[in-house]
Amino acid sequence: MNLTRIPASPDPALALWLVHLDMEAQPRPEWQHLLSPQELERAGRFHFESDARRYRISHAALRSLLAQLTGLAPLSLDFAEGRNGKPRLRTPADLHFNMSHSGDWALIGVSHQGPVGVDIEAIRALKDVDELARSHFTPQELQAYRQTPAHERLHAFFRCWTRKEACLKALGSGLSIEPQRFEAGAGSSPRSTTIMVGDQPCDMTVCCIELPFDAMAAVARLSESAFHLAM
């Protein structure tokens, strides 16, 4: 596996790594040795071997990275789940992480200052892209998407999509919060946004990530006042 640190964002509290999953490479025994029995069992449940391999490589890379950052052995890392199933470390509890993968790449975000969410999406044709934008974007985001020149519209869609996904993953909300209920922004500039969790506002920052291949990615981090909403 190939872990490469990339410039994170204007937020100095964030660190990001790209993982080349190298789906054509032969499986390596050391990858298997980095995974827990539960992870190996889950990998074995995938219908397609490509999905199983993607899971094994990305999770082995995640354990390897977190082991380096904590000084712990990969298999001694103790994970718990947040209220919506988002994994987190029990110890050290102040090291927050998130991972996303698409195609041959995975993206890992790490923060010592609050829950983080990342999303990466390989650019690919979507026959229902306009309908997806209409049903998932806010009116302002949808207007910006529709005003984008036709040849740039697919990239504009994935830019907004990854920003929304990163926000939801930082919160660990899964699909319990509809993406059209908050403004993540359709542009590439960093911005602050607020997601209502019940009757409580959750503030966070979100920004795009520049990648050296045809994909879109974004990272979001919760404000300190919103930590408890994601734990």
Side-chain angles (χ1 to χ4, degrees), residues 169-190:
K169 292 182 70 178
L171 190 55
S173 65
L175 297 175
S176 64
I177 295 176
E178 297 176 346
Q180 68 272 29
R181 288 174 50 194
F182 67 95
E183 193 88 18
S188 58
S189 299

Side-chain angles (χ1 to χ4, degrees), residues 93-132:
D94 64 343
L95 182 64
H96 303 270
F97 69 91
N98 192 230
M99 179 171 66
S100 174
H101 49 70
S102 181
D104 292 342
W105 296 91
L107 177 67
I108 300 172
V110 177
S111 171
H112 283 280
Q113 295 185 25
V116 58
V118 298
D119 191 55
I120 182 171
E121 296 286 349
I123 304 299
R124 58 205 184 271
L126 298 172
K127 63 180 180 180
D128 55 350
V129 62
D130 289 342
E131 174 59 26
L132 286 170

Side-chain angles (χ1 to χ4, degrees), residues 76-178:
S76 70
L77 295 170
D78 188 12
F79 295 95
E81 289 187 352
R83 66 181 65 185
N84 292 297
K86 181 183 179 182
R88 59 179 176 83
L89 283 172
R90 294 185 193 274
T91 304
D94 64 343
L95 182 64
H96 303 270
F97 69 91
N98 192 230
M99 179 171 66
S100 174
H101 49 70
S102 181
D104 292 342
W105 296 91
L107 177 67
I108 300 172
V110 177
S111 171
H112 283 280
Q113 295 185 25
V116 58
V118 298
D119 191 55
I120 182 171
E121 296 286 349
I123 304 299
R124 58 205 184 271
L126 298 172
K127 63 180 180 180
D128 55 350
V129 62
D130 289 342
E131 174 59 26
L132 286 170
R134 189 194 66 77
S135 60
H136 289 80
F137 293 177
T138 66
Q140 294 87 349
E141 291 165 346
L142 184 59
Q143 181 181 18
Y145 166 77
R146 287 173 171 168
Q147 290 175 343
T148 302
H151 68 283
E152 299 176 5
R153 203 163 289 162
L154 188 62
H155 284 73
F157 170 82
F158 278 111
R159 183 183 302 112
C160 188
W161 184 275
T162 55
R163 290 169 72 97
K164 285 183 173 291
E165 284 290 311
C167 290
L168 293 173
K169 292 182 70 178
L171 190 55
S173 65
L175 297 175
S176 64
I177 295 176
E178 297 176 346

